[in-house]
Structure formats: C-alpha cells, structure tokens
Amino acid sequence: MLHHIAIVGSGPSGLFCADALLRQRPDLKIDVFDRLPTPYGLIRFGVAPDHQGTKAVTRQFDRLFGGGSLRFVGHVAVGTDLPLARLLETYDAVVLALGAHADRPLGVPGEELAGRYGSMAFVGWYNGHPDFRDLAPLLDRPAAAVIGQGNVAVDIARVLGKTAQEMAASDLTAHAMTAIGGAALSDIYMIGRRGPIEASFTSAELAELGRLENLRPVVAKADLPDNIPAGLDPAEARVKEKNLLLLHEFAARDDEKPVKLHFVFHRAPEAVLGSGRVEALKLKGSEAPLAAGTVVSAIGYRTETQGDLPRASERGVLANEEGRIAPGLYVVGWAKRGPSGTIPTNRAEAKAVADRILADFNGDETPAKAGSDAIDAMLKQQGLTAIDWSGWKRIEAAEAAAARQGSPREKLADWTGLRQAAAG
Ligand code: NAP
C-alpha cells in the first residue's frame, strides 16, 4: 500500500513530482526534505535574479504546501543528518530530487587559482546561497571571462553587465550588487569551444543581451556563417536560425557602451594563468593569452551525493531505469537526466516518474509504513531541528521586510540569519 512518500529536494523536479502524485492520489502524505532552510532549490538559487517571471512558478508550489498533504522538512540533510536507510524504512516510496550541485571540472592547469570560479559557486554567491555567501569573488580587473556558451553563461554575463538601476527590481543580493557595482568591468569574454551554431544559449536569452543599457555584444562577422546547416530538426533549426540572425545583428553594431561582451568561438580553454591569482586565460589555438582577472566556468553540473545516498555515475547522474533506482527508490530532475532543459521540462518528466511510482504500488497490499510521525520522533531523538513551512514563511517575511525599494526580497544569505529568522 502506498501512503507515505518522501521527496528529497524541494526544487522544481521534486515539487512537480509531488504535484503529479497528489493530483492522482490526494490522500497521500508527502514530506519534502531539503538540506537548506528554504524551499525551491534552483528557482531560488539558480534562476537569475532579474528573471522574476520565471520564479512565479513558486505560487503554484505554495498552494500545494498550503493544501495539508505536503509538508516541508527543511534544514535536514538526507544521507548525512538523516540516513536514506531511515527514510526507506519509514516511507513507502522515496524520490530523490537532488538536482546537480557540483560544477563540472574544467580540467586545465590553473583552475584552482583565486579568481577562477565554477558557475555553481558564482551564481550561488550572487543569488544568496548560504554555502557561497562568503565567496567574495575577485572582480578587480577590467576583464572577466566566462567559459561556456549556455544560458548559465549568458545569465552571468548579463548580471555582470547590467547597471544597478537595471537590477533594482531583481532580487540580486545586496552583497553582490555592491561588489558588481564596484567592479568597473569593461570587457567580458564569453568563450565557446565550438561555433555560433553549436552554442547552447536560446534566442530569448541571447536577444536580452542586445538590449542592455551599458553593455554591447561584440561579434566578429567573420565568425558567422550566412545560414544554418541543412538537416537540423525543425525545432532546433528555428532556435539556431533566430540565434544566427541575432548574432548578425550584434556583428553589425558599432555603438559605444562602457562594457563590451565579446563572443569568442572555437576556442577551448588550455590553462588558467597567474601567479597566486588569475591573471589570464590561455585558449587553444590562440597565441596570446587573454588578460582577465576573473574566470567563471559555466560548463554544466554534476550530481554529487554524501553519506548513504547512491553515488552518481561518471556522467554525474544517478543510475536509474526510467526514474526507478531500486524498489521504493526513485529519482527525478537533473539527478536523473543530467543538467538540461528548462523548469517546465521537469513537469512532464516528474509526472512520468509519479505515474511509475503509482503503477509500481498498484495492487501492493503491504501495510503502509509509519511516515511523518516516526520521522519526527527520529529527528527529535537526534537533536535535529527541522525548519517547517511556518519557519520558511518567517524567513520569507523577514526577507520581504528587508527588501530595497522595488525588489521583492533581500535574501538572508547566512546560515545563522536563516535559522534565527525561521525561529522567529
Ligand atoms: P549547457 O547549456 O549545457 O551549456 C554548457 C556550455 O559549456 C556549452 O557551451 C558547452 O559547450 C560548454 N562546455 C562544456 N564543457 C566544456 C569544457 N570542458 N570546456 C569548454 N566548454 C565546455 O549548460 P548550462 O548553461 O549550465 O545550463 C544548464 C541548463 O539550464 C540548460 O538546459 C539551460 O538551457 C538551462 N538554463 C536555462 C535558462 C533560461 O531558460 N533562461 C537559464 C539558465 C539555464 P559544448 O556545447 O561544446 O559542450
């Protein structure tokens, strides 16, 4: 019998899965665990601070938490604080919605130098992730390089290039706003190891770069083909065609702006150079190193796990068969398929995994396991203080109260502050 479900991770894939389960079985009791005191995972810490529209999906999730069947169990790290084995004993099904929190390594000499950051850390820093609050990235030279040409690289370039006024209505944290405002960057390089057609950014995100107050995209016309190659699938061809058109428009521009965003194609990183800190980036096929005081690699993520959680494969995902890891144990989202797609991609995928869970339990007559009550007793016994939905609501209220004019929130970005606000 299926009655109590634990979902580990309160990002979009976990919450879409909860939604799909409850739509079909409103009688289920679902506990959503998160290592952080705050829900929403990638929506809070990954989505760019100036893309508030993308974050609106949380309203749907809030309604779900208000419905009485879904509980938030924040500030509990499954695997270490609370072993997965305990969850498997206590819940009829456990869904791992862990996301992908580790930066793919760049794998070149010098990547350990101060001033080189992975996008998880860098984006986490400006988005107020408590693990990265104190990153204090070096932003003291006129040039910065972002490696990768996906939407994360575009986010980083845009956040670095926007003015304080353009960011006023965002929830960019005050510490990042001050650091970026004081950085005086004049050149940002966005570096792709392949060409303009292969770049994985999407058109809306690319177009946004052409509308910024202080930043001009710089593209060499010689790097651009006239047309997209034949034989692409139609959906992909539409994106590539639009991208190419935008890149041609950028190449035709010669307006003066204080910050230039240079699109560099066909250049893989060879080494990060500097003595004691990042000073330049050596690119394969280029004679002279590119002077830059900051290098951010935005080259994708891997799932990494601690304690008794299953380990990720070479590819950085948890081995699974259509979402099933073992009887009673499932996986959704980036931990299942890798770091691809947009937030809505998770809706359909999480629904498929929810269907799979319900099908697996169809006709199962085993008595339902103990669920929440047993877990609460276990947490108490271990001296763990979970942060529940009302604790999160207190954090949310404190953040709204601290927001600068026009911004929805000033995120609490340190562990102590979060715990104190949750406790009221
Ligand atoms: P991504 O789209 O996979 O882009 C990764 C980039 O890194 C690619 O340009 C890739 O080049 C490059 N790369 C990988 N390994 C490299 C290496 N060793 N050296 C140099 N370059 C390397 O991933 P992402 O930007 O991290 O985004 C993750 C997902 O989130 C994507 O699906 C993205 O669309 C989504 N997202 C969406 C939005 C939005 O909708 N606004 C915003 C942010 C993220 P190759 O192509 O050559 O591998």
Side-chain angles (χ1 to χ4, degrees), residues 9-341:
S10 65
S13 67
L15 296 180
F16 278 131
C17 188
D19 183 44
L21 286 163
L22 287 170
R23 275 173 200 269
Q24 295 177 73
R25 285 277 310 273
D27 60 307
L28 291 175
K29 294 283 175 216
I30 304 180
D31 285 351
V32 180
F33 291 83
D34 206 296
R35 185 174 77 82
L36 288 153
T38 51
Y40 312 134
L42 173 131
I43 302 167
R44 180 174 165 100
F45 297 117
V47 171
D50 56 339
H51 281 178
Q52 290 297 315
T54 310
K55 295 180 192 252
V57 65
T58 57
R59 289 194 211 118
Q60 172 189 344
F61 298 142
D62 285 356
R63 282 196 294 277
L64 215 56
F65 278 109
S69 299
L70 196 67
R71 259 192 354 151
F72 179 62
V73 189
H75 200 228
V76 174
V78 171
T80 47
D81 290 347
L82 183 64
L84 173 64
R86 295 285 89 73
L87 294 194
L88 291 167
E89 286 161 18
T90 317
Y91 294 89
D92 303 309
V94 177
V95 183
L96 302 179
L98 308 171
H101 287 100
D103 284 300
R104 273 192 198 138
L106 204 47
V108 302
E111 72 172 313
E112 71 295 339
L113 284 172
R116 207 288 305 176
Y117 312 99
S119 51
M120 178 57 61
F122 197 79
V123 171
W125 166 71
Y126 65 60
N127 268 338
H129 191 301
D131 286 348
F132 305 111
R133 164 66 183 87
D134 298 323
L135 187 74
L138 290 175
L139 288 166
D140 56 343
R141 302 271 170 100
V146 185
I147 299 173
Q149 291 187 331
N151 281 330
V152 171
V154 170
D155 279 349
I156 293 169
R158 190 183 67 253
V159 168
L160 287 176
K162 270 190 169 182
T163 62
Q165 203 182 353
E166 283 174 305
M167 286 309 257
S170 78
D171 64 359
L172 179 68
T173 49
H175 60 265
M177 184 88 123
T178 306
I180 293 169
L185 284 170
S186 58
D187 294 275
I188 303 171
Y189 297 86
M190 190 163 72
I191 299 161
R193 60 182 173 180
R194 295 193 288 159
I197 301 296
E198 292 80 22
S200 58
F201 43 61
T202 43
S203 313
E205 285 63 28
L206 185 62
E208 225 183 322
L209 294 174
R211 297 193 295 264
L212 304 188
E213 183 73 30
N214 264 0
L215 177 146
R216 169 159 79 88
V218 177
V219 177
K221 188 163 172 29
D223 284 342
L224 303 178
D226 291 334
N227 297 298
I228 61 163
L232 297 178
D233 87 59
E236 196 186 5
R238 271 196 299 279
V239 176
K240 300 300 179 190
E241 200 152 356
K242 213 158 176 202
N243 282 357
L244 189 57
L245 192 69
L246 286 161
L247 290 168
H248 273 288
E249 279 172 28
F250 294 167
R253 278 174 64 165
D254 60 359
D255 49 331
E256 272 307 317
K257 302 249 178 176
V259 185
K260 292 191 175 60
L261 171 60
H262 308 266
F263 285 68
V264 179
F265 296 109
H266 297 296
R267 288 287 178 270
E270 189 173 315
V272 183
L273 307 175
S275 89
R277 61 157 295 164
V278 172
E279 284 161 2
L281 184 62
K282 173 94 178 78
L283 298 171
K284 280 184 194 148
S286 297
E287 284 285 308
L290 191 74
T294 312
V295 172
V296 183
S297 53
I299 61 169
Y301 304 111
R302 312 171 33 86
T303 295
E304 276 180 12
T305 56
Q306 273 80 44
D308 70 341
L309 290 168
R311 291 289 172 265
S313 66
E314 189 93 334
R315 202 167 72 78
V317 298
L318 303 185
N320 71 90
E321 213 183 282
E322 288 173 41
R324 192 171 189 247
I325 296 178
L329 183 62
Y330 301 85
V331 59
V332 290
W334 281 8
K336 170 177 179 279
R337 69 172 191 278
S340 66

Side-chain angles (χ1 to χ4, degrees), residues 373-384:
D373 293 345
I375 280 295
D376 290 350
M378 226 176 271
L379 291 174
K380 203 165 169 197
Q381 202 181 12
Q382 280 183 243
L384 294 170

